[in-house]
Amino acid sequence: MINVLLAALVVFLISVVLGIILALANRFLKVEEDPRIDKVTSLLAGANCGGCGFAGCHDFATSIVEGKSTSLNPCRPTNASKKEEIKTYLSSTPGPDGNVINIK
């Protein structure tokens, strides 16, 4: 019986130590993402169809914000008014580097 309790205690202590390590890693090693990516993703149609050539709307928004894609035309499901809203948002909202993005 003592062996079982000792094994359970060791497993519990290991899990506590690993939990603390994970919590510290999450706090100090977190990678910040450009907040404009989430905004552009929310303005896209959200179909995640892949018709634009990317894995989904989040990947397409990332490519737009990072400047890898310079046009919103590949996204067929998003209507023209939302595309204009994205263009206006990106041209008026600077990123962490201080630059704004002009989309065709």
Side-chain angles (χ1 to χ4, degrees):
M1 182 70 173
I2 298 289
N3 289 338
V4 172
L5 291 176
L6 183 61
L9 179 64
V10 168
V11 169
F12 175 75
L13 290 176
I14 290 172
S15 66
V16 168
V17 169
L18 290 176
I20 291 170
I21 290 171
L22 285 174
L24 291 173
N26 183 44
R27 180 177 175 128
F28 294 109
L29 302 176
K30 182 184 275 187
V31 176
E32 296 293 329
E33 186 177 59
D34 190 338
R36 297 178 298 172
I37 294 172
D38 288 334
K39 177 66 174 175
V40 172
T41 302
S42 71
L43 293 172
L44 290 171
N48 288 323
C49 60
C52 59
F54 294 91
C57 293
H58 184 76
D59 285 345
F60 184 54
T62 301
S63 75
I64 291 169
V65 171
E66 291 177 351
K68 295 176 185 171
S69 182
T70 58
S71 175
L72 292 170
N73 291 336
C75 184
R76 302 261 187 246
T78 302
N79 62 33
S81 65
K82 287 293 185 182
K83 288 180 182 181
E84 276 304 313
E85 193 174 340
I86 292 169
K87 290 176 188 178
T88 304
Y89 172 74
L90 289 176
S91 65
S92 64
T93 308
D97 57 359
N99 295 330
V100 294
I101 299 170
N102 292 314
I103 301 289
K104 297 176 191 174

